[in-house]
Amino acid sequence: MNCFKSIIALAAALSLSIAGASAATMHIFWKDLRPATQAVAGDAGLPMIAAKLPDHGETLSVGLQDKTIQLAGYALPVDRDGDLVYQFLLVPWTGACSHMPTPPPNQIVLVTPAHPYKMSEAYQPVAVTGALKPDMEKSQLFILDGVSVILSGYTVRKAEVVGVDTVPDTITLPVNSPWTFLNKKKN
């Protein structure tokens, strides 16, 4: 029941935060960015790994091309100066790309905010609104143990970004995962 209340609260917050956005904004979920036949990470009990997918996660939802969408996820800075972030990867779970295997490209969105976004921590939950473009793009991510090149399947440029309390379709890491400390506290 608490999860349901959190989703209702998030929906209300998101609708208020985009009051100035076009009526044509589509509220999408991570599942909308992958083929319906692709396994969901939660079904497998662990995050999807591109190498294990027949298409390596490179099949994109071209039906969403140029649609104004809103998607909630976790922001992982790619280009930042202090707490101002100029570009980030939006991912479906905490720890993705830097602490765990990288999600498939169709589960990563490269976001360039319309204005630098003030971020207090990596994997901060945010909602992104803007025109979605299916577009394979490589980004260099600087992590503690070196540089990693991440392939994203989508881009949103000139995005409006707002902080949110929860991500409705987030994946909770299995209890036996060494990265369970990354699970965000549930309301």
Side-chain angles (χ1 to χ4, degrees), residues 150-174:
I150 307 296
L151 184 62
S152 54
Y154 299 93
T155 59
V156 176
R157 307 227 188 271
K158 298 181 183 175
E160 292 302 319
V161 181
V162 295
V164 294
D165 291 330
T166 59
V167 175
D169 56 342
T170 192
I171 293 163
T172 301
L173 301 174

Side-chain angles (χ1 to χ4, degrees), residues 14-60:
L14 293 178
S15 64
L16 288 175
S17 69
I18 60 162
S22 165
T25 299
M26 297 172 57
H27 298 271
I28 66 169
F29 297 97
W30 288 99
K31 67 179 177 59
D32 299 320
L33 299 179
R34 62 175 175 74
T37 56
Q38 189 177 83
V40 179
D43 293 345
L46 69 157
M48 291 179 288
I49 299 171
K52 293 185 176 183
L53 300 172
D55 67 346
H56 299 286
E58 294 180 359
T59 302
L60 306 177

Side-chain angles (χ1 to χ4, degrees), residues 25 51 61 93 122 126 141 145 169 173:
T25 299
S61 293
W93 60 80
V126 297
L141 185 63
D145 55 351
D169 56 342
L173 301 174

